[in-house]
Amino acid sequence: MDRPRVVPARRHGRDRLYVRLPDGRNIAWYDREAARVNLLDAEHEDEVLAALAPYLTGPVAVGPPPVPTPADLARLSLHPDDDLAPNRPGEALLVDLDRAPGPARRLRPDPRRAELDAQRTVGDALDAMGGAGGHALHSLPLPGGHRVHHLLIGPGGLYALHVRSAHRQRVTVAEPQVRIGRRPPEPVLHRVRADADRAAHALTAEVRPVLVLAGARRVTVAAAPRGVRILTDADVPELARGGGVLKPADIEALYAAARDRRTWAGL
């Protein structure tokens, strides 16, 4: 009998290598991220491992596909229009700039682009923390046109991150005002807490507010803000160092709820 062949594919955002018989039937797949060979037919285990041998790196688990969790089933049943997981960092700003790019020539740079760069920087930092057992979602829509810039769900709990661009500028925080460079102070901390409160209401869980001052040269906290954590973009990875608040099953359940647009629609 002809040997099985290996066919690369991408399913549910993950790279897989399928092992397929000459008649077109799949008998296994190799999930690189999980380091697992999932056997659909145990009788072909030796043939599967022989076919995948050139692609396997390090030890791998071999066995039948894992049983889907409730969070997996919720994700698979979610309509694409309601799934917020594909949202990019700064999604709302990207759409706004696409609809109204502004004049080609400006005396001053468009401030929306600086805010977009800041949200992308923080979003990239959060996405890089995926190996710590958590999930990050971006640009979650709230009624009234506001957005939760980023939501981190991990072992250390839930964090709603509000981002402001402060590229190479000094920042002064004095409850509830935030002054960036020479700009007039704004009551930003009210907004940061309000977004976290709305997220907590939507998810029926504690959500901690975080203000991220992206690119700030120096941050001075004149009066400690009530319940708000102040970070720069370089400090964001600190959020992954906590633990013991949420179990893996809780993380997956909250992630399934948070990525559903309908969760946020009724606020």
Side-chain angles (χ1 to χ4, degrees):
M1 185 178 71
D2 293 336
R3 295 179 179 179
R5 61 193 179 99
V6 177
V7 180
R10 188 168 179 83
R11 292 287 304 276
H12 310 307
R14 304 182 74 149
D15 291 321
R16 292 179 175 179
L17 293 175
Y18 282 87
V19 181
R20 187 169 297 171
L21 293 176
D23 63 6
R25 181 164 56 96
N26 290 323
I27 54 175
W29 77 83
Y30 171 41
D31 187 332
R32 283 194 176 101
E33 294 181 32
R36 179 181 178 85
V37 176
N38 297 279
L39 293 171
L40 298 175
D41 189 336
E43 294 182 0
H44 293 281
E45 180 175 348
D46 291 341
E47 296 171 80
V48 166
L49 295 179
L52 289 173
Y55 307 95
L56 300 179
T57 55
V60 297
V62 180
V67 177
T69 66
D72 291 331
L73 296 175
R75 172 177 56 81
L76 293 172
S77 64
L78 190 61
H79 191 280
D81 290 343
D82 291 324
D83 190 359
L84 299 174
N87 278 11
R88 299 161 293 179
E91 183 78 34
L93 287 168
L94 285 164
V95 173
D96 189 42
L97 285 165
D98 184 58
R99 291 176 178 172
R105 296 182 179 180
R106 300 177 62 100
L107 295 176
R108 295 181 180 179
D110 191 327
R112 295 176 298 174
R113 297 196 178 277
E115 296 300 332
L116 175 59
D117 289 342
Q119 291 190 36
R120 281 173 164 169
T121 297
V122 174
D124 289 345
L126 292 170
D127 289 339
M129 293 157 51
H135 299 284
L137 293 166
H138 312 290
S139 197
L140 301 175
L142 300 173
H146 289 302
R147 296 260 175 169
V148 174
H149 291 168
H150 308 282
L151 182 72
L152 176 64
I153 308 170
L158 288 87
Y159 298 92
L161 287 76
H162 183 85
V163 180
R164 287 295 175 97
S165 174
H167 184 59
R168 296 182 180 177
Q169 298 182 81
R170 295 183 178 182
V171 182
T172 301
V173 180
E175 177 76 47
Q177 306 287 342
V178 176
R179 183 186 180 96
I180 300 175
R182 297 182 179 180
R183 286 180 258 172
E186 299 178 66
V188 176
L189 297 179
H190 288 328
R191 166 76 183 277
V192 177
R193 278 191 287 263
D195 287 351
D197 287 344
R198 296 177 80 179
H201 179 73
L203 299 171
T204 61
E206 180 184 8
V207 179
R208 303 174 190 179
V210 179
L211 173 63
V212 183
L213 301 162
R217 182 172 64 179
R218 181 178 178 182
V219 178
T220 301
V221 180
R226 176 177 53 84
V228 178
R229 193 165 177 176
I230 309 294
L231 303 176
T232 66
D233 54 294
D235 301 324
V236 167
E238 293 179 5
L239 298 176
R241 294 173 188 163
V245 177
L246 293 176
K247 298 178 181 178
D250 297 327
I251 293 172
E252 295 304 319
L254 287 165
Y255 177 58
R259 68 186 296 178
D260 189 339
R261 185 183 301 275
R262 295 167 296 183
T263 299
W264 308 93
L267 294 176

